């Protein structure tokens, strides 16, 4: 095959590759986007994303840390509380959705259930470990009933004494977590039906195990992927009524597990938390990677639990104390409970001065979510919150002694989860590697096409050089000696002359 034919072939192939690559530059992103949309939409036909959404097949853990009270007698005398952190006590968390119902308005409703299993191998001890914390049945109830006449409060104090309920309780981790029998609770439920938010056993997480987070109705993303996973209603409500402003009562964002795709650094992570009774918002901090997958790192802003004085939009969550505390008594049966970051991280320094034994830092106590921006799927999640109880001296209730008013840490917990195993491999292949390969293909085609075209040009130049060199060789033959090719006739003439001479 001649160089000309090869050059033509390379030119054609190169031109086709460049055209194809150029087309992919414009069409490729649309193809990738369409592929992501198909996989992210809540649709039973999308096996990967639907399974992840429905059964949540990734490992989730809840780590519990107790603030063991070291000086209960001194606290009753009015001294500053001293605590030591005990933990973690780790529980494997199983989550799944049930009662899934798709609606004509492109939404889907469901109940999400939670179940916890103790993981001793990941814990510092076991559920039989004993810790001492404030008795919410006494100190919490005392604050709740502070407005009652002194005579009534004395009767309440006598009731506490009858049932041998003191200001502090020493129980095992398992009892404090999942409940212990209390004759006082049984008595109050008998005399004042509906007064107590629980029946039978009393425990900090007794309402969490084998329970659901309420009826969520969220958008499926059909016809508009920008609203996928966003909450349409919770328990039939478009907004809650716990707070004092329209903005604070809004149900914003998603249910806190997945977010719409195609995020930018300007995007925020908004979600509604039934446990906190409000919507919360995380902000972008920096890019990063999680198990080889590019992610955006989102954290809680310092304004998340700021009071109305430091951050006016939070005025609706008041009455407020120091920044760093969220008063949730309006949605927790009026119990004087406050939510904060662990160890009062990002809170008013005053709170650290009221309790000994706290040491906040970002690495251990800051919450974050690492999310894959193209799909809105979290790769690594760590949500950390602290439960606090307001305690103080209440006149007429002797069990409160001379307790100085303080927001007392009880426990803090961290819920963490990450994509791993077969789910991670499938996710990486379908939603990361394939789109990445398609994205690179456009440059590969253009690069190869240009190489072929350059090769074709090089062959054409080489062909012309060869032709020119051949042309110079023919010209040199014509300019040589005439005797190089003697004329046969001429030779014969000389032979005849020789004969005559002889």
């Amino acid at each position: 095959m001649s160089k000309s034919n090869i050059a033509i072939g390379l030119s054609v192939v190169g031109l086709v590759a460049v055209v194809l690559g150029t087309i992919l530059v414009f069409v490729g992103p649309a193809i990738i986007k369409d592929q992501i949309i198909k996989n992210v939409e809540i649709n039973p036909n999308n096996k990967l994303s639907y399974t992840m959404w429905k059964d949540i097949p990734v490992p989730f853990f809840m780590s519990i840390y107790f603030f063991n009270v070291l000086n209960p007698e001194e606290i009753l005398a009015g001294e500053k509380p001293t605590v030591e952190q005990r933990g973690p006590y780790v529980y494997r968390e199983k989550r799944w959705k049930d009662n899934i119902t798709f609606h004509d308005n492109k939404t889907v409703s469901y109940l999400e259930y939670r179940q916890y299993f103790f993981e001793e191998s990941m814990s510092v001890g076991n559920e039989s470990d004993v810790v001492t914390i404030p008795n919410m049945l006494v100190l919490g109830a005392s604050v709740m009933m502070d407005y009652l006449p002194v005579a009534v409060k004395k009767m309440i104090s006598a009731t506490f004494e009858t049932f041998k309920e003191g200001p502090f309780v020493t129980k095992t981790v398992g009892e404090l977590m999942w409940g212990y029998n209390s004759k006082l609770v049984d008595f109050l439920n008998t005399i004042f039906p509906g007064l107590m938010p629980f029946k039978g056993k009393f425990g900090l997480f007794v309402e969490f195990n084998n329970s659901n987070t309420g009826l969520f109705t969220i958008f499926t993303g059909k016809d508009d992927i920008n609203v996928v996973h966003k909450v349409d209603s919770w328990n039939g409500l478009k907004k809650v009524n716990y707070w004092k402003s329209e903005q604070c009562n809004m149900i914003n964002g998603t249910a806190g597990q997945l977010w719409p795709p195609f995020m930018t650094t300007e995007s925020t992570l908004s979600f509604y938390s039934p446990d906190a009774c409000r919507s919360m918002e995380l902000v972008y901090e920096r890019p990063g990677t999680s198990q080889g997958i590019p992610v955006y790192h989102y954290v809680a802003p310092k304004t998340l639990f700021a009071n109305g004085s430091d951050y006016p939009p939070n005025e609706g969550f008041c009455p407020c104390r120091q920044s760093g505390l969220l008063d949730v008594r309006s949605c927790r049966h009026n119990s004087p409970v406050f939510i904060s970051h662990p160890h009062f991280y990002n809170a008013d320094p005053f709170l650290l001065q009221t309790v000994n034994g706290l040491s906040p830092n970002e690495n251990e106590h800051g919450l974050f979510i690492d999310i894959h921006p193209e799909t809105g799927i979290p790769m690594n999640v760590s949500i950390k919150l602290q439960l606090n109880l307001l305690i103080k001296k209440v006149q007429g209730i002797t069990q409160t002694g001379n307790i100085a008013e303080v927001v007392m840490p009880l426990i803090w917990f961290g819920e963490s989860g990450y994509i791993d195993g077969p789910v991670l491999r499938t996710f990486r292949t379908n939603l990361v590697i394939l789109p990445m390969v398609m994205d690179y293909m456009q440059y590969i085609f253009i690069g190869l096409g240009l190489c072929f075209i350059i090769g074709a040009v090089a062959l054409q130049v080489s062909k012309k050089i060869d032709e020119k060199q051949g042309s110079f060789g023919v010209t040199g033959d014509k300019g040589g000696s005439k005797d190089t090719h003697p004329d046969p006739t001429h030779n014969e003439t000389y032979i005849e002359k020789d004969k005559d001479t002889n």
Side-chain angles (χ1 to χ4, degrees), residues 425-471:
R425 290 191 292 272
T426 304
F427 173 85
R428 184 187 284 121
T429 300
N430 290 359
L431 297 178
V432 178
I433 295 178
L434 289 181
M436 189 182 298
V437 168
M438 188 170 290
D439 188 38
Y440 287 152
M441 285 300 292
Q442 58 196 22
Y443 304 109
I444 293 173
F445 277 125
I446 292 174
L448 287 175
L450 291 175
C451 288
F452 284 138
I453 291 173
I454 291 171
V457 172
L459 281 174
Q460 285 288 64
V461 171
S462 174
K463 177 176 176 294
K464 289 185 177 182
I465 291 174
D466 290 345
E467 289 178 349
K468 191 172 182 179
Q469 288 177 344
S471 174

Side-chain angles (χ1 to χ4, degrees), residues 193-337:
L195 176 66
M196 304 296 287
F198 35 76
K199 297 179 180 179
K201 293 185 176 182
F202 172 78
L204 296 173
F205 282 78
V206 69
E207 295 180 318
F208 282 69
N209 207 8
N210 297 309
S211 64
N212 64 72
T213 55
L215 182 67
F216 273 99
T217 300
I218 65 175
F219 290 96
T220 63
K222 184 178 181 181
D223 299 336
D224 186 2
I225 204 63
N226 294 316
V227 298
V228 66
H229 301 297
K230 288 191 174 181
V231 178
D232 179 50
S233 66
W234 176 73
N235 283 339
L237 302 172
K238 297 287 186 179
K239 61 180 181 179
V240 296
N241 58 358
Y242 302 128
W243 314 109
K244 296 182 178 180
S245 73
E246 188 79 14
Q247 179 179 349
C248 292
N249 278 320
M250 293 175 65
I251 297 177
N252 297 324
T254 72
Q257 294 174 346
L258 298 163
W259 280 266
F262 314 120
M263 302 177 67
T264 69
T265 55
E266 302 299 319
S267 304
T268 59
L269 293 188
S270 298
F271 61 96
Y272 178 73
S273 169
D275 298 330
C277 310
R278 57 165 286 189
S279 296
M280 296 196 283
E281 185 176 77
L282 306 188
V283 296
Y284 171 83
E285 184 183 59
R286 57 177 169 78
T289 58
S290 178
Q291 302 186 75
I293 295 175
V295 296
Y296 284 173
H297 186 73
Y298 280 81
V299 298
K302 290 185 178 180
T303 57
L304 182 62
F305 296 138
N307 61 23
S309 298
D310 291 342
Y311 187 62
N314 282 353
E315 186 66 37
F317 294 121
C318 292
C320 296
R321 298 179 70 87
Q322 294 81 12
S323 279
L325 296 173
L326 175 67
D327 187 340
V328 293
R329 71 181 75 194
S330 60
C331 69
R332 286 290 178 261
H333 316 288
N334 207 35
S335 179
V337 174

Side-chain angles (χ1 to χ4, degrees), residues 336-401:
V337 174
F338 293 80
I339 290 176
S340 70
H341 293 300
H343 287 246
F344 295 134
Y345 170 69
N346 268 350
D348 189 318
F350 171 81
L351 295 171
L352 290 176
Q353 299 171 11
T354 61
V355 181
N356 293 324
L358 303 181
S359 180
N361 67 80
E362 181 180 2
N363 288 337
E364 293 183 54
H365 307 129
L367 65 83
F368 69 87
I369 295 178
D370 288 333
I371 194 165
H372 182 238
E374 292 300 313
T375 61
I377 296 176
M379 303 302 300
N380 192 16
V381 177
S382 182
I383 303 297
K384 302 169 183 176
L385 294 173
Q386 180 171 297
L387 189 65
N388 310 279
L389 180 69
L390 174 64
I391 62 175
K392 66 177 184 178
K393 175 183 178 179
V394 176
Q395 188 179 3
I397 301 181
T398 59
Q399 285 80 5
T400 61

